[in-house]
């Protein structure tokens, strides 16, 4: 009998439990909130914010302020120095290093033992539970899982705390039994030099029976490219005949899908999106035919939402899960068993349905372009790029975009720096299609583009091969969970990239006929 069939029986009770998400989402979230405040009522934060007297969501919202990382940083720093019972009961040893804030190079997100098990690991287990439910003939446990992780950062350690990428923390603390079904070996998985790690992972796994992949699409693609170089094969299933699923997250999969489909041509290959971050595990694609994800409601995470048209105002509306509306763009707040309270996560989501609560990630609260009132978000960008690629046969590897506030002729526009895996058949047509689709997707962008009065036709600049990886390398962010900022109101990032681009080769600019 297949080992997967045997192991799969262990997931049946949880598969049935997950049915509670269909109609009982609000009740699940109320139970989570009750657990959070009850457990943390004797912490310093709990005493200061009346957790012991909290009897309802309304009490909680009245007594606890909305927090950014900067507002919790002082408490987190004390925890990193070994203080107990500050934001969460006991001592928190592990901290996930995440991208920085305005004031600091890095954020250090507490990862408590409770959060590790009731959120991060539960999300991983539910990912498997839902995949096996949808694919009853799977044989994923008859082989190994290639799990791509980050590294520890001992230079950031303080007495009483340890720091690393979240993926490295998960690998370090994982149940030893899981190591029987995963590759590469722990020492390789935790290497900090991504280029060395990439080569070692490829060499360690090339002779294994790898059936499933887990990781960020961009970094996994780099590892798989090395596997193909070493094997001399054309398609991945020639190296790993049993390959059947890629559990991916961290960045949108759309720009990478066609490259994966060319690399893995097996009709039995599946792709499942996950929504996990340093702060928690939040969503899973429970239906392969539906691109939206199921919000996971019975973990150690309580959710709240701020409508994006009010985000940043003095007194924005904040609603719990049972107050959201479909089709509206929200900034997400979380309270967690890691001690984050009404924390502004930085991600934006839009619900496609309720009961069950399903959503799509639309971008970041700080990752958009609104220099001219156009309100361009990452979801618009991804969909427009996919359209332009489909129409021109192009494939995008990486990209970023920012406004050009005024050029030498007093013209304003958006500038896109794009690294192509496959060049479009016609550069000008690609730019026109991208601009056209953005107008169809975003009425504010369309209005600002009207007759080129406010905003002129966008500009596309070709990036040389490897430019974005070189930029990450210079920043010390190559590998792990680091991502390219897609959209920005500032030109800081794109100007750095353009300077690096021009030192290697003269860049090509694609615009419409008027430029």
């Amino acid at each position: 009998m297949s080992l997967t069939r045997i192991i799969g029986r262990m997931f049946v009770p949880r598969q049935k439990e997950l049915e509670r998400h269909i109609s009982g989402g609000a009740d699940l979230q109320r139970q989570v909130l009750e657990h959070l405040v009850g457990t943390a009522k004797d912490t310093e934060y709990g005493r200061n914010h009346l957790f012991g007297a909290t009897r309802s969501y309304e009490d909680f919202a009245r007594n606890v302020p909305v927090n950014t990382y900067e507002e919790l940083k002082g408490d987190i720093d004390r925890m990193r120095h070994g203080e107990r019972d500050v934001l969460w009961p006991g001592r928190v040893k592990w901290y996930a290093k995440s991208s920085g804030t305005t004031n600091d190079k890095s954020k250090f997100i507490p990862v408590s033992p409770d959060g590790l098990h009731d959120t991060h690991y539960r999300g991983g287990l539910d990912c498997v539970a839902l995949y096996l439910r949808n694919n009853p003939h799977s044989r994923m446990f008859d082989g190994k899982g290639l799990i791509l992780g980050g590294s520890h950062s001992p230079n950031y350690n303080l007495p009483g705390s340890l720091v690393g990428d979240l993926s490295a923390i998960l690998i370090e603390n994982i149940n030893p039994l899981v190591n029987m079904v995963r590759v590469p070996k722990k020492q390789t998985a935790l290497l900090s030099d991504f280029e060395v790690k990439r080569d070692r992972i490829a060499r360690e796994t090339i002779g294994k029976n790898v059936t499933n992949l887990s990781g960020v699409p961009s970094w996994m693609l780099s590892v798989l490219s090395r596997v193909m170089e070493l094997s001399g094969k054309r398609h991945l299933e020639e190296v790993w005949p049993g390959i059947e699923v890629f559990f991916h997250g961290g960045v949108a999969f759309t720009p990478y899908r066609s490259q994966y489909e060319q690399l893995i041509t097996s009709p039995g290959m599946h792709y499942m999106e996950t929504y996990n971050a340093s702060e928690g595990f939040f969503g899973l694609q429970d239906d392969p035919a539906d691109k939206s994800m199921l919000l996971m409601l019975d973990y150690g995470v309580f959710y709240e939402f701020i409508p994006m048209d009010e985000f940043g105002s003095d007194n924005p509306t904040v609603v719990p899960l049972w107050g959201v509306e479909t089709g509206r763009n929200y900034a997400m707040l979380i309270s967690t068993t890691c001690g984050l309270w009404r924390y502004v996560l930085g991600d934006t989501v839009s619900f496609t349905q309720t009961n069950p609560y399903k959503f799509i990630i639309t971008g970041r609260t700080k990752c958009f372009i609104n220099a001219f009132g156009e309100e361009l978000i990452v979801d618009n960008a991804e969909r427009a790029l996919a359209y332009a690629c489909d129409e021109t046969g192009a494939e995008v590897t990486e990209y970023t975009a920012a406004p050009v506030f005024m050029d030498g002729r007093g013209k304003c526009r958006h500038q896109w720096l794009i690294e192509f895996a496959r060049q479009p058949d016609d550069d000008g047509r690609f730019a026109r299609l991208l601009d056209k689709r953005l107008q169809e997707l975003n009425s504010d962008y369309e209005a600002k583009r009207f007759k080129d009065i406010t905003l002129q036709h966008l500009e596309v600049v070709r990036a040389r091969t490897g430019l974005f990886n070189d930029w990450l390398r210079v920043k010390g962010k190559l590998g792990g969970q680091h991502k390219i900022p897609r959209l920005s109101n500032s030109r800081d990032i794109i100007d750095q990239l353009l300077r690096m681009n021009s030192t290697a080769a003269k860049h090509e600019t694609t615009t419409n006929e008027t430029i």
Side-chain angles (χ1 to χ4, degrees):
M1 179 181 287
S2 164
L3 182 60
T4 306
R5 184 70 60 85
I6 297 171
I7 296 176
R9 292 171 181 166
M10 300 167 53
F11 291 91
V12 172
R14 180 58 181 165
Q15 290 167 347
K16 293 180 179 178
E17 276 187 354
L18 287 169
E19 294 175 2
R20 294 182 300 169
H21 283 66
I22 296 174
S23 59
D27 288 339
L28 289 174
Q29 277 287 276
R30 289 189 177 95
Q31 292 167 19
V32 169
L33 180 60
E34 182 180 357
H35 169 69
L36 287 170
V37 298
T39 304
K41 62 184 175 59
D42 293 323
T43 63
E44 180 181 308
Y45 196 88
R47 293 192 299 272
N48 290 342
H49 295 88
L50 306 178
F51 283 9
T54 296
R55 299 291 179 266
S56 65
Y57 167 70
E58 288 72 23
D59 290 343
F60 178 73
R62 181 169 53 251
N63 295 330
V64 182
V66 171
N67 291 299
T68 63
Y69 180 80
E70 284 81 0
E71 273 119 16
L72 296 178
K73 182 180 183 299
D75 288 334
I76 292 172
D77 285 346
R78 291 167 53 204
M79 293 164 65
R80 292 181 62 214
H81 281 86
E83 289 194 40
R84 302 173 63 90
D85 303 321
V86 180
L87 293 172
W88 191 250
R91 174 172 167 259
V92 178
K93 180 174 72 172
W94 282 99
Y95 295 82
K97 186 175 69 170
S98 184
S99 56
T101 65
T102 303
N103 302 318
D104 293 287
K105 180 179 179 180
S106 299
K107 293 186 292 187
F108 299 95
I109 306 300
V111 182
S112 70
D114 291 321
L116 199 61
H117 293 283
D118 70 20
T119 300
H120 290 292
Y121 287 144
R122 182 178 288 188
L125 290 171
D126 280 352
C127 186
V128 175
L130 290 170
Y131 176 73
L132 293 179
R133 184 198 68 181
N134 293 331
N135 299 277
H137 301 295
S138 167
R139 299 181 68 93
M140 65 174 289
F141 287 115
D142 292 12
K144 304 283 187 179
L146 170 52
I147 302 176
L148 191 59
S151 63
H152 296 288
S153 302
N155 292 336
Y156 286 95
N157 288 354
L158 295 171
S161 72
L162 296 168
V163 172
D165 292 336
L166 174 69
S167 53
I169 295 172
L170 297 179
I171 290 172
E172 184 65 49
N173 291 278
I174 205 165
N175 187 315
L177 291 176
V178 177
N179 289 321
M180 298 174 62
V181 294
R182 60 165 292 277
V183 288
K185 59 186 179 183
K186 183 186 284 189
Q187 299 96 308
T188 299
L190 297 177
L191 285 171
S192 58
D193 187 321
F194 180 74
E195 291 174 297
V196 172
K197 177 160 66 176
R198 170 181 179 262
D199 183 70
R200 290 192 186 177
I201 290 175
R203 293 181 186 278
E204 284 182 27
T205 59
I206 202 166
K208 306 292 186 183
N209 176 26
V210 173
T211 60
N212 59 99
L213 311 170
S214 300
V216 177
S218 53
W219 302 123
M220 183 62 75
L221 190 61
S222 180
V223 169
L224 298 182
S225 296
R226 184 57 179 153
V227 169
M228 303 311 293
E229 290 171 3
L230 291 174
S231 69
K233 304 296 185 182
R234 184 177 180 184
H235 298 119
L236 194 63
E237 63 266 32
E238 298 176 73
V239 182
W240 300 322
I243 192 73
E244 62 172 87
V245 60
F246 178 24
F247 302 108
H248 59 85
V251 298
F253 191 53
T254 302
Y256 304 98
R257 179 176 289 278
S258 63
Q259 295 175 70
Y260 275 91
E261 290 176 346
Q262 290 178 40
L263 180 63
I264 310 169
T265 60
S266 168
M269 185 64 187
H270 304 279
Y271 299 92
M272 183 173 178
E273 186 171 8
T274 66
Y275 179 19
N276 57 326
S278 298
E279 295 86 352
F281 201 118
F282 311 121
L284 287 167
Q285 186 180 7
D286 67 321
D287 181 354
D290 184 354
K291 292 183 179 180
S292 61
M293 286 184 279
L294 180 70
L295 191 66
M296 307 312 292
L297 303 176
D298 59 354
Y299 295 1
V301 183
F302 180 76
Y303 302 96
E304 295 173 272
F305 304 89
I306 299 176
M308 273 305 290
D309 54 9
E310 298 184 40
F311 186 79
S313 63
D314 291 337
N315 294 292
T317 302
V318 183
V319 297
L321 182 70
W322 51 91
V324 300
E325 303 171 10
T326 58
R328 196 168 187 185
N329 204 27
Y330 291 100
M332 194 156 77
L333 310 182
I334 56 171
S335 298
T336 76
T337 52
C338 291
L340 301 176
W341 298 104
R342 305 195 84 194
Y343 177 86
V344 179
L345 182 62
D347 289 340
T348 60
V349 300
S350 177
F351 285 88
T352 58
Q353 67 179 85
T354 58
N355 294 323
Y357 288 89
K358 300 187 74 170
F359 67 99
I360 57 172
I361 301 170
T362 53
R364 298 279 294 171
T365 56
K366 295 182 179 180
C367 191
F368 58 89
I369 303 178
N370 192 29
F372 313 104
E374 64 273 46
E375 299 279 0
L376 188 68
I377 62 175
V378 173
D379 182 61
N380 300 153
E382 300 284 355
R383 293 168 65 185
L385 278 172
Y387 172 78
C389 285
D390 287 344
E391 294 295 315
T392 63
E395 291 179 7
V396 172
T397 300
E398 298 287 359
Y399 75 93
T400 193
V404 175
F405 294 98
M406 191 172 290
D407 63 14
R409 293 172 290 168
K411 301 295 186 180
C412 304
R413 64 187 182 278
H414 288 181
Q415 186 178 50
W416 292 66
L417 180 61
I418 303 178
E419 182 178 332
F420 290 99
R422 179 190 295 169
Q423 304 293 341
D425 56 10
D426 183 311
D427 289 352
R429 181 167 173 257
F430 181 92
R432 290 191 296 274
L433 288 167
L434 179 61
D435 187 76
K436 169 180 172 289
R437 188 60 176 151
L438 287 173
Q439 293 185 56
E440 293 171 349
L441 293 168
N442 185 317
S443 59
D444 290 318
Y445 181 83
E446 181 184 36
K448 300 303 179 291
R449 284 283 296 113
F450 182 68
K451 294 186 177 180
D452 293 353
I453 295 172
T454 303
L455 194 62
Q456 278 69 52
H457 196 287
L458 62 81
E459 172 191 8
V460 172
V461 179
R462 282 196 189 185
R464 61 174 171 80
T465 301
L467 172 67
F468 288 90
N469 277 355
D470 288 346
W471 182 80
L472 287 170
R473 186 183 294 106
V474 168
K475 297 293 181 181
K477 295 182 177 182
L478 187 65
Q481 294 178 303
H482 300 295
K483 315 177 197 72
I484 301 295
R486 297 305 194 191
L487 305 177
S488 176
N489 269 331
S490 163
R491 289 195 57 82
D492 292 347
I493 291 170
I494 200 169
D495 281 344
Q496 293 172 23
L497 285 158
L498 285 170
R499 284 193 292 271
M500 292 179 67
N501 201 42
S502 63
T503 59
K506 184 178 180 180
H507 65 254
E508 296 181 53
T509 302
T510 305
T511 57
N512 74 341
E513 301 91 337
T514 65
I515 297 178

